[in-house]
Amino acid sequence: MAIKYKRLFPQALLTQSSTERLNYFQGITIGHLRLKQALDILLMNLQQPTDICVLFVVGPAGVGKTTLRLRTEKLLMEGALASMNSNICQIPVAGIEAIANEAGKFNYKDYYLRVLESLEKISLNSITTNSTSNYQKYANTLSATYFASKSSDTVRRALEQSMRHHQLTALMIDEAQHLLMVAGGKQMLHQMNWIKSIANVTGVVHILFGTYDLLNCCHLSGQVSRRSDDIHLPRYSTDNKEDIAEFMRVLRTFQAHLPMVEEPCLVEQYEYFLDYSVGSVGLLKTWLTKALRNALAENATTLNAKYIQQNEYSKARRQQIQQEAQAGEKRWQNEVASVTPSLTNEEVKQPSQTKGRVGKRLAKRDPVGINLDVS
């Protein structure tokens, strides 16, 4: 079947090395409905704040939580450019990845230093040759390196001072479930009160991105519940026509970005891709990236079934990811969606058990009026 759509990558890529072509595909980010809905809710909470000081962004593995975090940071930085030009100290947003505890004991000092390092890195990137000597002195004195030998309490005070000095609006914490990997509800409540305390003292909203394990925080205390809120970033369902249409659009866009001589017809196998990626765009992209790497290594002209099948997620991996996603979605519906609307109006349903392969048509594969044009 001939491709009738415009290729979306620079055609000059076809003359470049396999590494450059692979790096291009790895670097693209496809906006999609679930991501946009979560992004809109997140930005509304930050740009029109209430008394919420902690936001939990939850979703299954590979759904795009890190992509959402990076996109939010980019938009917040772009929105503050005008004020940052007149105030070189301002940093509207910073982000870190939470590190898993060692032997079950959380290292508070290491956490403080990592946030200071993030602020320091952004500060140094924004310093120009016209920076004042006072600011240079501040940047050198309150660096993470300077405080590495200080006590945890001292480093925390330095972090609070740095957040206020930089007029930080939001701190994004990826893999935030690592902050709560502690034994017992009492210790978990302590962790949440600790996070809430920093947010209160500094006025910085803390956004925690992580797995459905973050939902454990919902019932810790009335105070935590009152000052926090939840945002769901779900995967795409095989039983929802709108989900299928959006997944097809995303797959079609990935297809058009593949820097190969001949564009493959991946959309024709959308059910296979939707099933084997467990409905997660992040898993889909990783799968296609690995397949592209193999194809480029063999100087193939297109991404055919051979390379796609070679890089499928194994049955055991798919089942594990699916089981965790289903359990998390059920918790969301039972514990959160009743009071906070989910991003989908459909009840969570069991995913299709379709086991189709590339090249094998299914009985229900024929088009159902879905528009695949990409704007």
Side-chain angles (χ1 to χ4, degrees):
M1 178 179 177
I3 298 296
K4 301 179 181 180
Y5 302 99
K6 179 181 179 182
R7 309 296 293 278
L8 298 181
F9 62 88
Q11 292 300 296
L13 269 178
L14 296 178
T15 63
Q16 297 179 11
S17 68
S18 295
T19 299
E20 290 172 313
R21 291 158 74 180
L22 185 64
N23 288 340
Y24 164 80
F25 189 75
Q26 285 180 307
I28 65 172
T29 299
I30 304 299
H32 55 91
L33 180 62
R34 293 282 186 248
L35 190 69
K36 182 180 184 302
Q37 289 174 322
L39 178 62
D40 289 345
I41 296 173
L42 189 50
L43 289 176
M44 181 175 64
N45 276 276
L46 294 174
Q47 295 170 346
Q48 302 175 29
T50 57
D51 61 348
I52 299 298
C53 64
V54 181
L55 288 167
F56 300 103
V57 181
V58 301
V63 77
K65 296 184 293 293
T66 298
T67 299
L68 173 61
R69 172 203 147 194
L70 295 176
R71 180 61 176 163
T72 305
E73 290 179 8
K74 183 176 184 292
L75 291 176
L76 291 176
M77 291 292 286
E78 290 175 350
L81 282 178
S83 59
M84 290 173 68
N85 287 335
S86 59
N87 181 3
I88 61 173
C89 296
Q90 183 182 0
I91 299 176
V93 61
I96 64 166
E97 180 176 322
I99 305 301
N101 305 338
E102 294 183 6
K105 185 176 181 180
F106 186 74
N107 190 330
Y108 294 96
K109 180 178 176 180
D110 179 73
Y111 172 84
Y112 300 144
L113 289 173
R114 288 180 186 275
V115 180
L116 276 174
E117 287 170 354
S118 176
L119 292 170
E120 183 180 8
K121 180 179 179 180
I122 299 172
S123 297
L124 293 177
N125 288 340
S126 66
I127 290 176
T128 65
T129 55
N130 297 327
S131 298
T132 65
S133 59
N134 288 336
Y135 180 70
Q136 292 280 15
K137 180 179 180 181
Y138 173 86
N140 292 331
T141 302
L142 292 185
S143 69
T145 303
Y146 173 83
F147 283 101
S149 61
K150 306 298 181 181
S151 69
S152 179
D153 289 343
T154 300
V155 183
R156 171 170 174 166
R157 287 195 295 272
L159 174 59
E160 292 171 354
Q161 180 182 352
S162 182
M163 285 179 166
R164 287 190 291 264
H165 175 84
H166 289 301
Q167 302 169 38
L168 192 67
T169 300
L171 177 64
M172 311 280 187
I173 306 172
D174 215 345
E175 301 292 346
Q177 67 274 4
H178 292 158
L179 297 179
L180 305 172
M181 287 176 133
V182 291
K186 184 176 181 181
Q187 184 61 27
M188 188 178 294
L189 176 59
H190 171 78
Q191 289 295 96
M192 278 308 306
N193 284 331
W194 163 71
I195 294 171
K196 183 170 66 67
S197 173
I198 297 177
N200 285 339
V201 169
T202 60
V204 176
V205 178
H206 284 51
I207 299 108
L208 279 60
F209 296 79
T211 65
Y212 289 106
D213 288 339
L214 292 180
L215 295 180
N216 294 333
C217 303
C218 294
H219 310 298
L220 291 175
S221 74
Q223 184 66 7
V224 169
S225 298
R226 188 183 75 83
R227 300 299 305 279
S228 64
D229 208 347
D230 311 281
I231 299 174
H232 193 200
L233 183 57
R235 61 201 176 113
Y236 289 97
S237 169
T238 59
D239 299 311
N240 183 309
K241 290 183 179 180
E242 293 181 357
D243 277 12
I244 293 173
E246 181 63 10
F247 187 88
M248 291 177 70
R249 187 193 68 80
V250 171
L251 184 58
R252 169 69 191 86
T253 306
F254 276 132
Q255 173 181 304
H257 274 290
L258 286 167
M260 307 201 75
V261 175
E262 299 176 19
E263 182 175 343
C265 297
L266 305 182
V267 175
E268 290 189 346
Q269 306 297 328
Y270 73 88
E271 287 177 319
Y272 162 70
F273 284 107
L274 180 57
D275 183 28
Y276 275 52
S277 67
V278 201
S280 294
V281 172
L283 296 181
L284 173 65
K285 184 184 177 184
T286 300
W287 178 10
L288 293 178
T289 301
K290 291 165 63 180
L292 175 63
R293 181 181 60 187
N294 286 15
L296 292 174
E298 297 185 6
N299 296 315
T301 59
T302 192
L303 192 67
N304 59 33
K306 167 188 171 182
Y307 304 111
I308 293 170
Q309 292 173 1
Q310 284 176 346
N311 291 278
E312 290 175 353
Y313 292 97
S314 68
K315 181 179 180 180
R317 286 187 170 87
R318 293 198 310 271
Q319 287 180 340
Q320 182 64 34
I321 294 171
Q322 189 174 78
Q323 288 171 4
E324 291 181 2
Q326 289 173 353
E329 289 161 352
K330 185 175 181 180
R331 285 196 63 188
W332 175 269
Q333 289 293 328
N334 292 339
E335 301 176 18
V336 183
S338 58
V339 292
T340 303
S342 173
L343 296 184
T344 175
N345 293 326
E346 295 278 334
E347 289 293 322
V348 174
K349 301 178 181 179
Q350 294 293 321
S352 167
Q353 299 301 315
T354 302
K355 298 301 177 186
R357 309 277 299 182
V358 172
K360 181 179 178 181
R361 291 180 58 83
L362 299 181
K364 59 180 180 178
R365 191 184 301 281
D366 293 329
V368 290
I370 298 172
N371 182 7
L372 299 182
D373 289 339
V374 179
S375 56

